Amino acid sequence: MTKISPIPVVTVQTAPFEDQRPGTNGLRRKTAVFEGKKNYLQNYIQSVLSSIDLRDRQGCTMVVGSDGRYFSRAAIEVIVQMAAANGIGRLVIGHSGLLSTPAVSCIIRKIKAIGGIILTASHNPGGPGGDFGIKFNVANGGPSPDTVMERIYQVSRTLEEYAICPDLRIDLSRLGRQEFDLENKFKPFRVEIVDSVEVYLQMLRNIFDFTAIKSLLTGPDQPKIHIDAMNGVMGPYVRRILCDELGAPANSAVNCVPLEDFGGRPPEPNLTYATSLVESMKGGDFGFGAAFDADGDRYMILGENGFFVNPSDSVAIMGANLSTIPYFRQYGVKGFARSMATSAALDRVAKAMKLALYETPTGWRYFGNLMDSGRCSVCGEESFGTGSDHIREKDGLWSVLVWLSIMAAKKQGVEQIVREHWARFGRNYFCRFDYEGLDPRAAFYLMRDLEAVISDKAFTSQKFAVGDHMYSVEKADNFEYIDPVDGTVARNQGLRIIFNDASRLVFRMSGSGGGMGSTIRIYAESFERDPERHNRETQVVLGPLIAIALKISNIHERTGRRGPNVIT
């Protein structure tokens, strides 16, 4: 019997890249940058691995998964070779390299891994001409906090070499354990290929009443459901959990085969991109519709005839109905949190339930400390993300199961649940305008000048008359957040103008693009208590606020745009 000789560890000389500062969701770039720029991928992976203290790194376990987008398999091979060379003891990888972001968070927590690497650019398009991203989640299962992102960036700026085992090959299609002997290493390096769904499914079983949901989906009054996995990672999860476990008919799930380019459309679950779902729901044949983004952390809910559930309303409705879910009956509800840009609908629920409400910057990492310290049970963002303290990521399928649980308990459809919620708490009309692909300099100066305008003392006494509406400014600032757990301060988190009738305007420059220019988002919100006025068109209600936003920012004149790319 021939003894296989140990795999050599090689040190490769490299030069640093100046642009490897991770953003809100890790490092996102055009796929061509990762694929075509020599050592670009290797440098960043080395920076991530080197950001972990050497003593913690030796022999530790890490989780690796992807949303299945183009270049993921090639990148996973490099990550495996570099993890081995850098002293990681064990990698747990999803079958075929696939793991949803919530599943990665779940597995990190369950096996007490030191962290995980997720290959995703979320809702950004895939394929050779699309985007690619690398996200590092820490030991609590959540995204890297600012301190870790800064450490990764500092390493990347001075990097001169990386370590790799170029001869190490793994088979992502074979479930089970693979072991490798490395040169100068006492213990073998282990790779475990695991079922992408199983651990996550077990967790959901312990959170929800599967029997109640199955009765809803298979009973005499079952709402026909229509689920669109948008050819991202969620296909296998939808099939296994909603169809096999919970009894939804197989034909109720569409686009369930993960594709490297997501079928040529952005895997973004909103009214602009999930058009086939919207059209199907408008036909009136289905009572419940949902779509997921590429990595499964975002979702959209539609009711009969295409009734759209605003994500800000969705988290508020969930919060008001947590008693329908065994997990919260068992562990109680500690508090709520939302990003500053999300509507204040959740605040009204928190007040009625006498619970704390935390307002954070955009970015899921800010919720982690609140949940780890027992302050917060449920949190949400207006960008179609909701989650709870069961993991440390937003969770699309969990959110859908919350909705199905509420429907099963109330024996009501989506629209009825939403309208009853409005009648009880009032309605927060809300919309978001996205101006994408702006010249970064123009965007920067626009925001700088707008901040100067709203920071002027005279601005807080300003009144705006639009038609028969009069809006008086009550407060205007650049939002900053002081973490109640560790006291860290996050500044420059968005410009906000609050009017004396609780209407709001928010302006944010977004940091989650793939190097395709800058995005400015404008959010408008207006509260309506009177149920007689809950049926109005969102754009009509918010039209006067939008007019004020366009006037004070001069965004069309300054960018040459005639309107936003996307309205949600």
Side-chain angles (χ1 to χ4, degrees):
M1 182 180 140
T2 53
K3 173 120 178 72
I4 300 166
S5 56
I7 295 169
V9 177
V10 179
T11 302
V12 180
Q13 301 305 304
T14 187
F17 294 95
E18 279 301 304
D19 66 343
Q20 293 197 331
R21 181 191 284 280
T24 310
N25 295 298
L27 186 70
R28 281 188 197 167
R29 294 287 178 265
K30 283 288 180 200
T31 308
V33 173
F34 280 107
E35 191 178 23
K37 258 193 188 179
K38 188 171 191 272
N39 293 340
Y40 195 86
L41 169 70
Q42 289 85 345
N43 273 32
Y44 191 68
I45 297 301
Q46 185 63 59
S47 301
V48 168
L49 294 171
S50 296
S51 76
I52 306 167
D53 190 278
L54 191 61
R55 288 163 307 189
D56 297 332
R57 207 189 320 156
Q58 294 304 320
C60 76
T61 297
M62 285 182 76
V63 181
V64 179
S66 81
D67 61 12
R69 68 181 55 231
Y70 175 79
F71 193 59
S72 293
R73 279 175 174 265
I76 288 173
E77 183 159 285
V78 170
I79 290 166
V80 172
Q81 292 170 345
M82 292 185 66
N86 278 276
I88 305 291
R90 173 173 72 139
L91 288 184
V92 174
I93 308 176
H95 190 221
S96 302
L98 297 174
L99 278 177
S100 73
T101 290
V104 170
S105 185
C106 165
I107 294 170
I108 288 172
R109 293 172 68 79
K110 184 174 173 65
I111 67 174
K112 298 187 168 45
I114 199 160
I117 293 174
I118 311 171
L119 304 177
T120 177
S122 191
H123 52 279
N124 291 19
D131 299 336
F132 193 77
I134 302 174
K135 190 175 155 181
F136 178 57
N137 280 26
V138 291
N140 74 348
S144 297
D146 291 348
T147 48
V148 174
M149 292 200 293
E150 187 59 32
R151 213 157 53 230
I152 293 169
Y153 176 55
Q154 292 307 336
V155 174
S156 78
R157 293 178 62 197
T158 55
L159 197 71
E160 291 176 356
E161 60 184 35
Y162 63 83
I164 191 165
C165 297
D167 300 341
L168 200 159
R169 295 277 180 275
I170 59 157
D171 182 355
L172 289 173
S173 65
R174 199 177 91 227
L175 286 171
R177 181 185 295 184
Q178 301 165 39
E179 291 203 344
F180 304 89
D181 284 321
L182 309 181
E183 262 181 12
N184 304 325
K185 302 273 191 233
F186 300 114
K187 285 186 172 173
F189 171 66
R190 279 198 350 230
V191 173
E192 285 174 35
I193 309 296
V194 298
D195 183 291
S196 303
V197 182
E198 189 57 41
V199 176
Y200 176 74
L201 167 58
Q202 291 288 4
M203 176 189 67
L204 293 181
R205 275 201 196 104
N206 292 328
I207 292 172
F208 295 100
D209 181 346
F210 270 30
T211 309
I213 300 173
K214 189 167 186 173
S215 300
L216 171 77
L217 295 180
T218 58
D221 303 321
Q222 56 179 279
K224 277 184 75 180
I225 73 168
H226 192 64
I227 310 293
D228 189 343
M230 298 191 87
N231 297 117
V233 80
M234 288 307 289
Y237 294 84
V238 169
R239 287 227 159 112
R240 273 276 289 287
I241 298 170
L242 280 171
C243 301
D244 299 352
E245 280 281 323
L246 295 169
N251 65 0
S252 60
V254 299
N255 298 318
C256 283
V257 177
L259 298 175
E260 291 195 331
D261 68 346
F262 312 116
R265 56 182 179 162
E268 183 157 10
N270 62 23
L271 297 173
T272 305
Y273 294 115
T275 42
S276 62
L277 174 71
V278 174
E279 291 311 310
S280 302
M281 294 303 296
K282 278 184 177 164
D285 294 337
F286 300 101
F288 180 87
F292 300 105
D293 73 343
D295 63 322
D297 59 354
R298 297 168 196 245
Y299 69 102
M300 175 173 71
I301 302 284
L302 296 175
E304 205 168 352
N305 303 315
F307 181 86
F308 171 65
V309 182
N310 185 293
S312 296
D313 281 341
S314 184
V315 66
I317 290 162
M318 288 180 191
N321 291 283
L322 293 176
S323 60
T324 60
I325 294 153
Y327 176 89
F328 295 105
R329 291 203 297 271
Q330 184 180 347
Y331 295 109
V333 183
K334 302 171 186 98
F336 296 135
R338 64 166 176 84
S339 65
M340 180 272 283
T342 302
S343 94
L346 185 61
D347 307 35
R348 299 179 189 282
V349 175
K351 193 175 176 189
M353 293 172 71
K354 297 186 171 54
L355 290 171
L357 184 285
Y358 300 91
E359 187 178 28
T360 69
T362 295
W364 207 259
R365 62 192 185 278
Y366 293 105
F367 296 133
N369 265 1
L370 296 173
M371 292 193 276
D372 288 348
S373 64
R375 286 170 163 82
C376 170
S377 295
V378 170
C379 41
E381 296 189 321
E382 46 68 39
S383 52
F384 298 84
T386 316
S388 89
D389 57 358
H390 66 293
I391 53 173
R392 295 294 179 270
E393 279 283 4
K394 40 191 179 273
D395 192 339
L397 189 49
W398 174 90
S399 303
V400 164
L401 294 186
V402 172
W403 266 94
L404 292 173
S405 301
I406 295 169
M407 290 168 68
K410 286 184 169 285
K411 298 183 169 44
Q412 292 175 337
V414 172
E415 184 170 349
Q416 194 181 353
I417 289 166
V418 174
R419 292 199 180 282
E420 281 193 7
H421 182 89
W422 289 341
R424 183 178 165 199
F425 293 98
R427 178 175 181 185
N428 289 70
Y429 283 97
F430 179 87
C431 79
R432 177 178 115 186
F433 280 29
D434 291 6
Y435 293 85
E436 297 171 342
L438 300 175
D439 172 57
R441 283 174 64 90
F444 172 81
Y445 287 119
L446 186 154
M447 292 294 286
R448 192 193 66 176
D449 294 348
L450 180 58
E451 181 171 7
V453 168
I454 71 163
S455 305
D456 191 307
K457 284 234 176 351
F459 187 77
T460 45
S461 56
Q462 196 144 345
K463 290 180 168 51
F464 293 91
V466 186
D468 56 354
H469 288 268
M470 179 67 78
Y471 293 91
S472 302
V473 177
E474 188 174 278
K475 180 183 177 183
D477 64 7
N478 189 336
F479 179 63
E480 75 171 41
Y481 175 67
I482 302 172
D483 190 306
V485 181
D486 60 20
T488 51
V489 181
R491 295 190 170 86
N492 300 314
Q493 295 299 319
L495 305 177
R496 56 180 183 169
I497 303 165
I498 300 164
F499 299 95
N500 63 2
D501 64 350
S503 297
R504 293 195 312 160
L505 282 173
V506 173
F507 299 81
R508 273 189 66 248
M509 232 162 88
S510 171
S512 59
M516 293 77 61
S518 295
T519 297
I520 288 180
R521 305 192 201 281
I522 302 176
Y523 309 80
E525 175 182 3
S526 184
F527 178 67
E528 181 56 72
R529 178 79 259 180
D530 181 3
E532 297 293 308
R533 298 171 68 83
H534 285 172
N535 261 340
R536 301 172 67 209
E537 198 59 51
T538 298
Q539 295 303 322
V540 173
V541 174
L542 298 174
L545 279 171
I546 297 292
I548 295 169
L550 298 182
K551 182 175 177 231
I552 61 173
S553 66
N554 277 326
I555 190 163
H556 290 171
E557 294 77 1
R558 295 185 64 151
T559 62
R561 296 292 175 89
R562 295 167 69 170
N565 302 67
V566 181
I567 300 176
T568 43

